Amino acid sequence: MKRSKYVQLSLAASVAMAISGCGPTEKTYPLQKKYNFQSVQQCVDEKLPVDVCSDAFMNAMAEHRRIAPVYDNQADCDADFVADWCQQDSTGKFIPKLGGFELTAKGEVTQSEVDAAAAQLPASEATTGGSGFSGGSLLTGLLIGNMLSNNRNSYYSEPVYRYRDDRGGFGSSTLAQRVEKGSTFTKSNQARYGSYTDTVRSANKSISVASSTSRGGFGSKASARSGWGGSSSSFGG
């Protein structure tokens, strides 16, 4: 009987110690921002990690080659994008030039990470703004840079293309954003074999899912620096 009470007391003490060791979880903040870059260097100038910028470029390039609309003639391609912006491929078809890449950073940061980042900034720029951060603040930029450096799976990228808007001005957008605004690309070859807009939407979903997979390393960084569009990885036009 004494042994049984001793065992019960020991178990109770162990549970109490385990509970006391589990303090309140640290507060976290959601963090998300979209960047639109015309080159890898422009991305690096924004203080984002160079390997992330290079990898985002390579991912956008691969997606461009996979899903960019293809046209039989330049006039149809120019009509959907910008005059003289389309180029002829090795098969004689026309595709829009890659105009840049959109990088979406998404994740969450802890209060200790916020405090550490804020300590690196002038007092006027170090406020956390309650439960969130303004998209253009230095604190947000620093937190995103740290997040991307520590977690290569917290972003994804898409190709960006130039186009003329309804008012005759120029804009840059992903294909998915164009589709959401009503573009159908009906003169593209892909549209002849089904709904190209559905293809774009499906591709956009797969890109988002791919953000949870591992990404390339030094090889893709080196390719981006010396790759398509010139040594500075800038895009045509």
Side-chain angles (χ1 to χ4, degrees):
M1 187 70 177
K2 289 183 178 180
R3 178 176 176 80
S4 176
K5 288 184 177 180
Y6 175 76
V7 171
Q8 290 176 358
L9 289 173
S10 297
L11 288 173
S14 298
V15 171
M17 290 179 65
I19 294 175
S20 65
C22 296
T25 57
E26 187 174 13
K27 188 175 183 179
T28 60
Y29 303 93
L31 195 61
Q32 180 173 351
K33 186 173 182 180
K34 290 182 182 290
Y35 298 88
N36 192 314
F37 298 119
Q38 293 184 357
S39 69
V40 172
Q41 186 59 53
Q42 191 178 63
C43 176
V44 174
D45 290 343
E46 193 69 22
K47 308 303 181 186
L48 299 185
V50 63
D51 57 337
V52 168
C53 293
S54 300
D55 188 55
F57 162 80
M58 294 302 294
N59 290 336
M61 172 61 71
E63 189 66 9
H64 163 70
R65 290 170 174 163
R66 186 176 75 87
I67 200 173
V70 179
Y71 301 83
D72 284 335
N73 61 76
Q74 186 169 355
D76 287 343
C77 185
D78 286 349
D80 277 341
F81 294 92
V82 176
D84 299 323
W85 185 254
C86 294
Q87 61 186 10
Q88 198 168 21
D89 64 15
S90 59
T91 67
K93 305 296 184 180
F94 290 85
I95 60 173
K97 295 178 185 177
L98 185 63
F101 62 96
E102 181 178 272
L103 188 157
T104 301
K106 184 176 182 180
E108 62 179 26
V109 291
T110 64
Q111 184 64 56
S112 60
E113 290 172 329
V114 173
D115 294 340
Q120 301 177 45
L121 298 174
S124 60
E125 298 286 349
T127 56
T128 63
S131 61
F133 314 95
S134 62
S137 71
L138 288 177
L139 179 59
T140 298
L142 184 57
L143 285 168
I144 288 176
N146 292 341
M147 180 180 71
L148 293 177
S149 295
N150 297 328
N151 183 4
R152 294 287 304 281
N153 301 327
S154 57
Y155 72 95
Y156 60 93
S157 61
E158 299 177 66
V160 166
Y161 303 90
R162 293 189 70 189
Y163 70 100
R164 273 197 174 277
D165 59 28
D166 295 337
R167 295 173 293 182
F170 293 97
S172 294
S173 177
T174 67
L175 292 174
Q177 289 163 351
R178 292 279 307 277
V179 166
E180 290 303 314
K181 292 183 178 180
S183 296
T184 56
F185 306 98
T186 53
K187 293 183 179 181
S188 68
N189 289 357
Q190 292 98 321
R192 297 178 182 179
Y193 305 102
S195 174
Y196 182 55
T197 55
D198 289 343
T199 301
V200 171
R201 290 191 181 99
S202 298
N204 189 53
K205 289 179 181 178
S206 68
I207 290 171
S208 300
V209 171
S211 65
S212 64
T213 65
S214 61
R215 299 180 180 273
F218 178 79
S220 46
K221 175 168 62 178
S223 298
R225 284 179 170 174
S226 60
W228 195 76
S231 59
S232 61
S233 297
S234 59
F235 302 90

